[in-house]
C-alpha cells in the first residue's frame, strides 16, 4: 500500500524567499507524481506533473523533481509571493494504485 | 467550460437523511473518482470507477454508494447521514491510459455539513 508523507506540514516565510516542499513515498513503482495547489474553500489545481521516466518539470517559478529510487519529490518555489499562500499537495498514481495523496503543506507567505 | 463539475457546492442536512452529490466530466475520461477530504485536509479515496469496474475502498461504509449512469457521470449517494460524514467531497477524473501516467482533474468540491 502506497503511503505519501509531506514535510513540513506548515510553513510561514517572508516574501522573496526560495522554498522547498518535500514529498516522500513508500513504493517507487509509480507512473507519475503530481503537485497540486489548494486555496481555502477551493478545489485542487494541478501545478506540475512528472512522469516516472522524468526527473523534473518546470513551470515559471516552480520546479518539481522526482527521485524514484529514494522515494522523494521536491517542489521548489523561487522568489515566493503572498499569492503563493495555499496548501500544496503531492499525489501519486499509476499501476494498480488509485491516486494517493499526502496531507499537504500549508504555506503562508507574508509581505 | 468546467471540466469536472459537482453539484451542489454546499449542502447542509440533518442526521439520518439521504442525499446525493452529482458529478459530471466533459473531458471524455474513462476513469472517475470520489475523494473525501477531512478537516485536516487529508484526501482519502472512496471509489474509483473505470469502464464499469468499480473499485471500492474497503473502509468506506456501505451507506455510501456510487452510481454511474454513463461514462461522463459518477454520482455519490449517501444513506442515513451521520455527523462524521461532514467533510468536503471531491470528484475527479483521469483520461484513458491513466495508469500510464496522465494527470488527474478535480472538481471544485462539495461541502457537506450534517447537523
Amino acid at each position: 500500500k502506497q503511503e505519501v508523507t509531506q514535510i513540513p506540514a506548515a510553513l510561514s516565510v517572508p516574501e522573496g524567499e526560495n522554498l522547498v516542499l518535500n514529498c516522500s513515498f513508500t513504493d517507487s513503482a509509480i507512473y507519475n507524481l503530481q503537485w497540486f495547489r489548494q486555496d481555502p474553500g477551493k478545489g485542487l489545481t494541478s501545478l506540475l506533473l512528472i512522469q516516472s521516466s522524468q526527473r523534473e518539470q518546470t513551470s515559471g517559478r516552480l520546479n518539481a523533481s522526482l527521485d524514484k529510487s529514494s522515494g522523494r519529490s521536491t517542489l521548489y518555489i523561487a522568489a515566493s509571493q503572498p499569492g503563493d499562500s495555499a496548501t500544496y499537495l503531492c499525489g501519486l498514481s499509476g499501476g494498480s494504485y488509485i491516486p494517493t495523496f499526502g496531507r499537504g503543506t500549508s504555506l503562508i507567505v507574508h509581505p | 467550460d468546467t471540466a469536472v463539475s459537482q453539484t451542489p457546492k454546499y449542502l447542509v442536512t440533518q442526521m439520518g437523511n439521504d442525499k446525493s452529490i452529482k458529478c459530471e466530466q466533459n473531458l471524455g475520461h474513462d476513469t472517475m473518482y470520489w475523494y473525501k477530504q477531512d478537516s485536516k485536509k487529508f484526501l482519502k479515496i472512496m471509489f474509483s470507477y473505470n469502464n464499469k469496474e468499480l473499485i471500492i475502498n474497503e473502509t468506506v461504509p456501505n451507506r455510501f454508494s456510487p452510481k454511474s449512469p454513463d461514462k461522463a457521470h459518477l454520482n455519490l449517494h449517501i444513506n442515513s447521514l451521520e455527523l462524521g460524514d461532514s467533510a468536503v467531497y471531491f470528484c475527479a477524473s483521469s483520461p484513458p491510459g491513466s495508469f500510464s501516467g496522465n494527470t488527474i482533474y478535480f472538481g471544485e468540491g462539495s461541502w457537506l455539513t450534517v447537523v
Side-chain angles (χ1 to χ4, degrees):
Chain A
K1 179 185 173 185
Q2 179 72 273
E3 293 185 4
V4 182
T5 303
Q6 290 189 244
I7 296 173
L11 187 60
S12 180
V13 299
E15 182 176 5
E17 279 204 4
N18 300 324
L19 309 172
V20 176
L21 308 182
N22 297 290
C23 172
S24 62
F25 47 95
T26 55
D27 191 332
S28 62
I30 66 171
Y31 283 102
N32 70 41
L33 184 145
Q34 204 165 346
W35 282 93
F36 293 85
R37 168 183 174 141
Q38 186 176 26
D39 292 285
K42 300 288 186 180
L44 279 72
T45 301
S46 179
L47 297 173
L48 290 165
L49 171 71
I50 310 177
Q51 306 282 5
S52 64
S53 58
Q54 298 173 325
R55 297 298 297 270
E56 66 178 336
Q57 284 288 334
T58 298
S59 175
R61 295 182 293 108
L62 304 179
N63 176 276
S65 67
L66 174 63
D67 184 345
K68 287 201 309 178
S69 62
S70 64
R72 293 181 182 178
S73 175
T74 60
L75 178 66
Y76 177 81
I77 303 176
S80 59
Q81 303 171 357
D84 294 331
S85 298
T87 297
Y88 291 81
L89 293 113
C90 161
L92 290 78
S93 64
S96 59
Y97 303 131
I98 304 299
T100 304
F101 293 82
R103 292 180 179 267
T105 293
S106 179
L107 172 65
I108 297 175
V109 181
H110 47 86
Chain B
D1 281 346
T2 303
V4 182
S5 59
Q6 301 178 224
T7 55
K9 185 173 176 68
Y10 300 101
L11 180 58
V12 180
T13 188
Q14 290 186 328
M15 285 176 56
N17 284 351
D18 301 339
K19 291 293 179 185
S20 292
I21 305 173
K22 296 184 178 181
C23 179
E24 176 182 3
Q25 54 95 1
N26 61 6
L27 299 168
H29 291 171
D30 279 351
T31 306
M32 297 184 72
Y33 312 88
W34 277 105
Y35 284 86
K36 178 181 180 180
Q37 188 174 45
D38 61 24
S39 58
K40 296 185 178 181
K41 299 288 188 180
F42 183 43
L43 265 174
K44 181 178 178 181
I45 185 69
M46 300 179 72
F47 304 102
S48 169
Y49 200 84
N50 180 7
N51 289 331
K52 299 188 185 300
E53 179 189 9
L54 177 63
I55 302 173
I56 301 173
N57 184 329
E58 64 276 7
T59 66
V60 175
N62 57 15
R63 299 181 295 104
F64 290 80
S65 57
K67 299 188 189 302
S68 181
D70 54 57
K71 196 174 80 166
H73 297 83
L74 184 65
N75 303 324
L76 181 65
H77 189 74
I78 315 169
N79 289 327
S80 303
L81 278 157
E82 300 177 357
L83 293 176
D85 297 334
S86 297
V88 185
Y89 292 85
F90 284 99
C91 177
S93 71
S94 58
S98 61
F99 294 150
S100 64
N102 289 302
T103 190
I104 181 170
Y105 296 81
F106 280 85
E108 288 284 295
S110 295
W111 271 252
L112 172 65
T113 302
V114 182
V115 298

